[in-house]
Amino acid sequence: INESKWTYLKSPAGIFTQITLPISQIADSLLNQTAEKRQSDILNAVKLGIPIYNETSDKKFGMSTPSNVLLIRKKYKDSFFEKNQLSDEITSSLFRPTTTSFTQYTFNNITQMINDCLADREKAEKEIHEKGSITIKITDLDGNSKDETVNNIKDWEDLSEWNKFVLIPVLVTTDSSSSNSYYGSSNVISIQHDLKPGYARLKGGTNATNTSLDKEQQDKYKLKLEVVSTNFGTKSK
């Protein structure tokens, strides 16, 4: 947790990497206040890349890098496996490498996942406006839960973990159907926790948000998120 220069991803059932996406910044950038009227951009595509650091040569017993990895909103990470769900590109997205020599986990379009977060924010903002407050269930690292009541959207954002995602190594089971096998494709029929020993060092770490470092130093450890949106009244960006 306190590693400053990278973060770990490990299996089996070990260390899940948590990612904080700048959903608030995305939401703010989609709303353009003009002199005439308030216009809203359309979110077209969001791409997330998570670089994998090379293994150092001094390791006596190396482990393989997890190949199939699930990116999922933190609020759904338990129910997903309890209910034997499949990735729907709304609450979760699955990375499956096309080659054995991949150097990063790439999620090419997590637009619907971002929209799912924005929908939660909109719902919370509406409830606060109508009722004056909203109650959030907060769970600490020891698994203890408590209710917290907030009366503004900023506190809700800080406490609700609405922008938190986790990476989980998974075992993917496929079923090659006769209609798809000709083209070399297959259908995913099961996603479970990966129980094989494996680990990876990923770009990240506490330096990414260490305020004692200057912005240039912090940016070295931050992930790259590409966002494409269109405003039909003005321009694409």
Side-chain angles (χ1 to χ4, degrees):
I1 291 177
N2 296 320
E3 178 58 58
S4 61
K5 296 181 179 180
W6 54 76
T7 184
Y8 288 105
L9 184 67
K10 190 175 181 297
S11 63
I15 302 169
F16 302 152
T17 297
Q18 178 172 287
I19 300 173
T20 302
L21 295 185
I23 311 295
S24 294
Q25 295 177 35
I26 294 175
D28 291 341
S29 68
L30 292 176
L31 293 175
N32 299 314
Q33 189 70 41
T34 66
E36 298 176 356
K37 63 178 180 178
R38 187 171 182 172
Q39 296 178 329
S40 179
D41 284 3
I42 302 299
L43 192 61
N44 300 123
V46 182
K47 178 180 179 180
L48 174 65
I50 308 169
I52 303 170
Y53 289 148
N54 290 331
E55 171 120 25
T56 56
S57 58
D58 60 346
K59 297 293 186 297
K60 186 175 181 180
F61 301 104
M63 287 187 287
S64 60
T65 301
S67 54
N68 299 309
V69 173
L70 186 73
L71 176 69
I72 186 169
R73 291 191 65 188
K74 188 176 181 180
K75 63 185 288 187
Y76 299 119
K77 70 178 180 65
D78 294 326
S79 60
F80 180 90
F81 295 99
E82 290 171 357
K83 298 178 180 179
N84 296 315
Q85 295 177 336
L86 300 178
S87 176
D88 59 4
E89 303 299 332
I90 299 175
T91 61
S92 63
S93 181
L94 181 63
F95 171 83
R96 298 180 66 197
T98 55
T99 67
T100 57
S101 58
F102 60 94
T103 58
Q104 74 171 12
Y105 296 121
T106 303
F107 299 91
N108 288 309
N109 197 347
I110 58 171
T111 308
Q112 293 187 79
M113 297 178 71
I114 300 298
N115 284 332
D116 192 53
C117 296
L118 293 174
D120 281 356
R121 184 185 188 275
E122 183 178 351
K123 181 179 178 181
E125 195 168 25
K126 180 179 179 181
E127 185 170 340
I128 292 173
H129 177 73
E130 293 177 349
K131 300 180 180 179
S133 65
I134 189 172
T135 301
I136 310 168
K137 184 177 290 294
I138 301 173
T139 304
D140 61 24
L141 293 176
D142 296 323
N144 301 313
S145 298
K146 67 174 183 178
D147 290 336
E148 189 83 26
T149 300
V150 298
N151 57 14
N152 62 82
I153 195 64
K154 178 63 171 61
D155 288 344
W156 178 87
E157 290 180 344
D158 293 340
L159 295 174
S160 66
E161 298 189 319
W162 72 304
N163 58 353
K164 306 296 185 189
F165 293 73
V166 291
L167 284 177
I168 302 177
V170 291
L171 174 66
V172 177
T173 303
T174 60
D175 177 23
S176 298
S177 64
S178 57
S179 60
N180 290 330
S181 59
Y182 178 82
Y183 300 98
S185 61
S186 57
N187 300 316
V188 174
I189 60 174
S190 174
I191 300 176
Q192 301 171 318
H193 283 288
D194 189 354
L195 300 181
K196 300 188 304 295
Y199 102 105
R201 289 188 305 136
L202 306 178
K203 183 176 181 179
T206 57
N207 279 351
T209 54
N210 187 349
T211 55
S212 66
L213 301 176
D214 58 41
K215 184 179 183 301
E216 183 178 353
Q217 288 295 316
Q218 291 181 49
D219 288 347
K220 288 181 180 180
Y221 301 94
K222 291 181 178 179
L223 305 179
K224 184 177 182 180
L225 187 73
E226 298 179 9
V227 179
V228 177
S229 63
T230 301
N231 186 301
F232 292 102
T234 53
K235 60 182 179 179
S236 297
K237 60 183 178 180

